Amino acid sequence: MVVNPDAQPVHEERLTAANGDVSTELAPTSSPNEEDEYTILVPTTDLRTAGRMIQIAAALMPVHEGEARGKVLPLGVVEIPEELGFSAGAIPARIHRQMLGRLRRVSKSPQVELRTLVRVHRQVWQGIVETARDEGVNLILLGWSGRVNADSVLGTTIDHAVRNAPCDIAVAKGVSLTAAKRILVPIRGGPHAALAFKLATGLAERVDGTVTALRIELPEDAGTPDDGTIATRERDREEFEAVLATAPRPDRVRQVVVQADSVVDAILKQAESQQVVVMGSAAGPQHPDQIFGPIAEEIARRCDKGIVVVKTRLPGTATHEEWEQLYARQPITAPALDISQIVDKWFAENTFDSSEFERIDDLVRLKRQQGVTISLGLPALNEEETIAAIVKSVKTELMDRHPLLDEIVLIDSRSTDRTREICAELGIPVYIHQDILPEHGSYRGKGETLWKSMHVLKGDIIAWIDTDIRNIHPRFVYGLIGPLLKDQRVQFVKGFYKRPIRGPGGVLQSTGGGRVTELTARPLFNLFYPELSGLIQPLAGEQAGRRAVLEQLPFFTGYGVETGLLLDLLLQYGLRAIGQVDLKRRVHRNQSLASLSVMSFGILQVVMQRLAQRHRLQLLSEVNRSMKLIQHERDRFHVELKEVGDVERPPIGLLPEYRAAHPPRPRRGSLPTGDTARGTGQNGPASAATSGEAR
């Protein structure tokens, strides 16, 4: 998909199926593990055929312990021309995600998980290769129409993807699952043929078909064959039998041995009575103008049956370095991106819209497939005006009607109004944050509430929303959860929205909120942490993350909590681990400039503290923990001294009480490796209020 910078969102009814330094690396990579679920990446350059390719991928899923089990990852790559910045791909990426989302459940097997991905790159093949590496993919499945360019073998995208793939790869042409019961697999031996047979037996199991394993021998010359010929035939026979021995259901496989002068003609002859041909690439060195070898490429062009040609990443037990020498071809690498391009690319790929996740049943299905639980924490202090509407809206839609949330919990900070009583009447568990983990003391502040809430919340995914929202909608919750369920790279999600503010006379103006964000937080990020400059509202109280990550992060107890979390996430997990989602519009209580000044001072302290730790500098002293506020009373001004400073709570995962209550449990999907934790920060009371405020 080539980006159109003027593209507009497509409405649903128009859619059809279809060391301390910040690294310039966006995220760590992973590699396939034989013990993990088998994962097939399906690039979808043509949404009209995407559904069929997904079904083929699910059907090719290898059989393990009697059933096909794994993941199919449809991939859309938004191609950005050189003259445009990567951020131009944000809207096209969203449109692509929406269209791919219509392909849900095209795999009817409950054992095969379907998860769509969208990436932004200069060239489609680069996006394919990068995604395969990031996701630890086992196989890339590409569709081929049969048409070629004059300067390519099977097409530019396929050629580059095959030659640079970090995993096994397959190219399919003309395969239909309604006509795939008779499957031919030519086998001479070697890893390519073994892969072909593995996929063919998976297909046979899916369609209740049979596999014909074909071995071709050259005709015997007149006279007695020499020792070399005999040895070659014996080796071919042994390798043939070794491949057949891997069949999960031998009763589905029949053997055919023929003699022929032309291997191509023999395969085409046998294919006449078959419906699909699955074959491996040539095992030896390739000509520079070939990617699968002369036999496989000629069969692919001439065969009028469905065909799948496969190639393994490594021949036999050879190392990757040996493979590169063998094929005399170094992988093509994309040019390194500068920091501006990194941020633009992240912005396009990791900026979501809550409307992408409004099909809540799909989120529930993904939740069940991934075997995760989800908690919503509501931090509150004197929010009796809004808390009932928030609980009713979210509980009705996301617990009663759709079981997306496993629990909603109020974490109160000793409200003096009826906040706790209202939640109790609505059947919501209520905790007072000062009473949680009392042996570790207690501080005032929203960050303290969030940190302690992790001890009482039970979910693998934890979401928090502020409790002063006056226009509550379930999207404030499912919008945060959606990216975590649909993109395993994302570990933490921030919300953003339009923020109205009350002007003179109490009139609600459509914009103007988020003053601390625009005047303090974002300028600081642009100056010291430019990787985070693409975050629209870094101080938003609506956020969600994976417990396995959150429990490894320190929490500042006051208003610096959001800033601290983002800085530590960036340094420990990389930019790719962070996502943001458009929650449309948020109406809430606005604060005075004096209160916002205190908040800004607290955020500045957190940034300075992290810079000091990163560069081993002394930037703050005790005098920096107090702030002189200018107060105006009648006709005079005076100075008020206020102590402002957050305590840095250690990662909660270090507490024995927490580890006892939340023992590690296996989870599906990959988790980036990060440093474990920092030590405890300075002691002393924080001054920030608990409830989320206008920033």
Side-chain angles (χ1 to χ4, degrees), residues 620-637:
L620 296 176
S621 64
E622 288 304 314
V623 70
N624 301 128
R625 303 290 177 180
S626 61
M627 183 180 187
K628 290 183 173 63
L629 297 173
I630 308 300
Q631 303 290 356
H632 179 226
E633 295 180 359
R634 295 182 181 178
D635 57 351
R636 74 183 186 92
F637 291 90

Side-chain angles (χ1 to χ4, degrees), residues 365-421:
R365 174 178 54 83
L366 287 172
K367 169 194 168 184
R368 289 171 174 165
Q369 285 181 338
Q370 296 171 22
V372 297
T373 54
I374 305 176
S375 298
L376 174 64
L378 301 175
L381 176 62
N382 297 327
E383 301 293 357
E384 65 178 2
E385 293 184 9
T386 52
I387 193 65
I390 291 173
V391 171
K392 290 177 182 178
S393 175
V394 176
K395 184 176 183 295
T396 299
E397 189 67 19
L398 304 184
M399 287 189 75
D400 301 339
R401 189 172 298 164
H402 305 279
L404 182 64
L405 295 176
D406 295 281
E407 63 175 353
I408 302 175
V409 177
L410 179 78
I411 306 94
D412 187 71
S413 296
R414 292 188 174 148
S415 295
T416 57
D417 62 6
R418 297 192 68 252
T419 298
R420 294 195 301 275
E421 290 80 1

Side-chain angles (χ1 to χ4, degrees), residues 640-657:
E640 177 183 330
L641 186 66
K642 189 177 185 65
E643 293 296 321
V644 179
D646 288 3
V647 175
E648 184 178 351
R649 285 291 199 177
I652 199 168
L654 297 178
L655 303 187
E657 302 91 338

Side-chain angles (χ1 to χ4, degrees), residues 79 126 482 587 601:
E79 193 171 66
Q126 293 174 340
V587 181
F601 190 56

